[in-house]
Amino acid sequence: MAEQSCLVTNDWICGEYLRSRSQELTDATVQHIGITVVSVLIGLAVAFPLALLARRGRRFAGPVLGLTTVLYTVPSLAMFSLLLPLFGLSAALVVTGLVLYSLTILVRNILAGLEAVPQEAREAARGMGYGPARLLWEVELPLALPAVMAGLRIATVSTVALTTVGSLVGKGGLGNLIEDALPSFFKAQVLTASVLCVLLAVVADLLLLGLQRLLTPWTRISGAVLPPSGPVKAGASASAPAKVEVG
């Protein structure tokens, strides 16, 4: 008697599923990566000026940090419902929601990194004639890079997971496959999409870690001394916990 197909027996691990649905998996993965990359880049572009504003003093820090924290606590379903009249059922709806969720992580880490820059470094730069803009870009920002990159890694991994929630509007990348498979409990599709999502998060984190090491070679020097209030590391308490919801 011929052995039944793993698709017929609904096995968790099924090579036939990978062969027959390769294009569908590729398209979903590409969409997932695209939404994640765009969301994180826009989030970083928005978070940087907000962090600079918050650094100006408590009068600005309180509202900025408070607002980003409140946005982070809004459930994804409610967030998408609020944004729906503005963007409709589009990828822009998902991207905007993901950008808003990333702000609390990015703003806090950028702010922590800038505040950890030694005052001696600032004074030395000013003594050499550095203006505010040059001081920021050539002195403060490079020294704050470890904290900025740590926040970027956390935000990216969180966004990879949250992108699956976009399946609510059909723009969730791998989340679309998970949602489509749940009614019939298509095991191979659920497992494959979930594993791919995890692999994307791991690969993204490793790539950003490599970029961090490339941009901050001084952190690898043996015996290097960091200021007592040094940059926030990934997972430190100054960063908000990664918001993870799987569609």
Side-chain angles (χ1 to χ4, degrees), residues 109 113 140-153 212 215-216 218-219 226 230-234:
N109 275 75
E140 295 180 315
L141 191 55
L143 291 176
L145 267 180
V148 174
M149 292 302 298
L152 186 61
R153 289 169 59 195
Q212 177 180 338
L215 295 177
T216 59
W218 62 87
T219 61
L226 292 176
V232 180
K233 302 300 181 182

Side-chain angles (χ1 to χ4, degrees), residues 20 49 111 145 196 210 247:
S20 62
L111 182 60
L145 267 180
L196 284 174

Side-chain angles (χ1 to χ4, degrees), residues 32-50 94-96 98-103 106-107 110 148-149 151-157 159-160 163 208 211:
H32 203 109
I33 294 173
I35 291 175
T36 298
V37 171
V38 171
S39 300
V40 172
L41 290 179
I42 295 177
L44 187 61
V46 174
F48 188 70
L50 288 177
V94 180
V95 169
T96 303
L98 295 176
V99 168
L100 295 177
Y101 283 136
S102 70
L103 291 181
L106 294 173
V107 170
I110 294 172
V148 174
M149 292 302 298
L152 186 61
R153 289 169 59 195
I154 297 170
T156 300
V157 171
T159 301
V160 169
T163 297
L208 289 174
L211 179 61

Side-chain angles (χ1 to χ4, degrees), residues 91-135:
L93 168 66
V94 180
V95 169
T96 303
L98 295 176
V99 168
L100 295 177
Y101 283 136
S102 70
L103 291 181
T104 186
I105 300 171
L106 294 173
V107 170
R108 288 175 183 272
N109 275 75
I110 294 172
L111 182 60
L114 292 174
E115 290 182 340
V117 175
Q119 187 61 31
E120 295 82 359
R122 294 191 178 96
E123 292 175 355
R126 293 191 185 101
M128 295 173 64
Y130 281 48
R134 189 180 177 191
L135 175 64

Side-chain angles (χ1 to χ4, degrees), residues 80 84 88-91 93-94 164-172 176 179:
F80 288 168
L84 185 59
L89 298 176
S90 65
L93 168 66
V94 180
T164 59
V165 183
S167 61
L168 293 170
V169 295
K171 303 293 182 180
N176 293 338
E179 184 178 35

